[in-house]
Amino acid sequence: MVVNTDKPIRNTAEDRLGRNVLAATIKNEILAVPQGDSCVLAPLGPWGSGKSSILNLLENQLCTEQRLSVIRFNPWLFSGTEQLVGQFFQELRAHLLTKNEKESDETIDLIDKYCDGLMGATSWIPQVGAAIEAG
């Protein structure tokens, strides 16, 4: 008996189906979005169709771009709107803290202000609220 697992590929060396070409096309579409604009990508397909593999290949390609940062965020890991939004901003904030750039500090300040306005206080975001109260 042979059991196939749903283990996505992680890099081009594992790509036996040529999905890297699609990842490159998606990367070019992302790079074509004018700076200041936004876009939403939604990989759709049945279980096992390669969505995670394409996302892994796309992430590898996007990480080569100096002007971009890639942050992996899986909304399926959280339940409820508050937890989802809180974890998203926590991940974004943590990523910016690792960059240690002046622009990151300014963006973190904007995130903190946005969270304050969104919920009235940032205490609902575990580490963000504590950091603001301590600061």
Side-chain angles (χ1 to χ4, degrees):
M1 178 167 98
V2 176
V3 177
N4 291 323
T5 62
D6 183 39
K7 184 178 177 187
I9 62 172
R10 306 288 309 159
N11 55 53
T12 305
E14 299 173 356
D15 183 22
R16 296 187 295 180
L17 298 177
R19 291 183 174 129
N20 203 48
V21 174
L22 176 57
T25 301
I26 297 169
K27 172 190 168 186
N28 291 335
E29 291 296 319
I30 291 170
L31 294 176
V33 174
Q35 189 170 1
D37 287 0
S38 62
C39 68
V40 176
L41 302 174
L44 302 174
W47 183 85
S49 63
K51 299 179 299 293
S52 295
S53 295
I54 291 171
L55 287 175
N56 290 338
L57 295 170
L58 177 60
E59 179 179 2
N60 292 339
Q61 290 193 23
L62 289 174
C63 285
T64 65
E65 295 292 324
Q66 291 290 339
R67 65 184 182 141
L68 299 177
S69 291
V70 177
I71 304 170
R72 290 297 289 251
F73 181 76
N74 187 345
W76 297 106
L77 299 177
F78 309 103
S79 63
T81 303
E82 286 186 14
Q83 187 182 28
L84 176 69
V85 172
Q87 290 296 323
F88 173 77
F89 283 114
Q90 186 175 335
E91 288 291 322
L92 178 58
R93 194 176 197 283
H95 177 79
L96 292 171
L97 283 171
T98 64
K99 293 186 71 130
N100 200 20
E101 299 172 356
K102 183 180 181 211
E103 294 83 13
S104 293
D105 292 340
E106 293 169 3
T107 304
I108 289 170
D109 288 342
L110 289 172
I111 289 170
D112 293 343
K113 288 177 185 175
Y114 180 76
C115 289
D116 282 340
L118 186 64
M119 297 301 284
T122 55
S123 60
W124 61 279
I125 305 177
Q127 294 167 350
V128 175
I132 293 170
E133 290 172 14

